[in-house]
Amino acid sequence: MKRILALLLAFALLLCGCGAAQEPSSGVETDGEPMDITVFSFSHTASNAEECYRFQVSREGDEVRLYAEELFYGGRVADTAIDAAVLEQLGQLLGTYGVAGWDGFDKSKRNVRDGSDFALEILLEDGSTVSACGGNAFPENYAEVLPEIRGLYRELMDKHGVYPAEIQD
């Protein structure tokens, strides 16, 4: 039940973070230091179905859980406990690229017909958050960090992802 509530909270935060301009929050450092992450939630959609995915890693007590899904028909899903080192890896990666500085980013270029969208929500151990979203508009370093996030997502899906038919068996 706690896992379901945590997932619903993270996705609600993700959805609420987009749509209204936000001022960057103070208290989130952008100096390249690793981020102490409790919940990392990222979604990416694009005209290429294979680039549509949702990815969440969260600490629930002593356990770190992965929830991820390929957002195309018949795509794999993952919902399992994983090594806590993944949160540390994400914290290092996001700190290196200054992702905390994305907080409050909410831009969209509506005239682009084939493009991509993203939504990011991070809850840090100190209770602060980083929230960003964009539609064919992206914050600084996005092009550099996206392949890193995608690579980690694919690595975790290759290890833990199952097809919906496998879940029902």
Side-chain angles (χ1 to χ4, degrees):
M1 185 65 170
K2 285 183 182 180
R3 181 172 42 143
I4 292 171
L5 289 174
L7 287 171
L8 289 174
L9 173 63
F11 288 122
L13 288 171
L14 193 70
L15 293 174
C16 292
C18 290
Q22 300 175 356
E23 291 296 318
S25 67
S26 59
V28 178
E29 298 296 322
T30 60
D31 59 6
E33 290 293 317
M35 298 173 74
D36 294 323
I37 299 171
T38 301
V39 177
F40 170 84
S41 186
F42 182 80
S43 67
H44 183 268
T45 59
S47 55
N48 177 351
E50 292 182 9
E51 290 300 316
C52 298
Y53 56 94
R54 184 175 12 228
F55 173 31
Q56 178 175 311
V57 179
S58 59
R59 182 177 309 280
E60 298 175 15
D62 293 336
E63 185 176 72
V64 173
R65 295 211 50 96
L66 166 69
Y67 177 79
E69 60 183 313
E70 298 170 332
L71 299 176
F72 53 89
Y73 181 75
R76 293 177 296 176
V77 296
D79 186 4
T80 188
I82 60 171
D83 189 339
V86 172
L87 272 180
E88 293 173 21
Q89 184 180 359
L90 276 165
Q92 187 72 38
L93 169 71
L94 301 177
T96 297
Y97 287 99
V99 171
W102 295 4
D103 190 41
F105 185 92
D106 184 358
K107 295 184 181 177
S108 181
K109 293 181 184 173
R110 300 194 189 284
N111 295 332
V112 178
R113 294 180 190 254
D114 259 353
S116 62
D117 302 324
F118 82 99
L120 170 75
E121 190 71 33
I122 302 169
L123 175 62
L124 300 172
E125 287 181 7
D126 67 4
S128 61
T129 62
V130 175
S131 180
C133 59
N136 302 309
F138 308 99
E140 184 177 346
N141 295 330
Y142 184 82
E144 291 80 22
V145 76
L146 179 62
E148 301 278 350
I149 292 172
R150 184 185 304 127
L152 179 58
Y153 162 79
R154 286 183 176 157
E155 176 184 321
L156 290 169
M157 286 301 278
D158 287 346
K159 185 173 182 179
H160 302 287
V162 296
Y163 290 97
E166 295 175 33
I167 295 171
Q168 296 173 0
D169 290 343

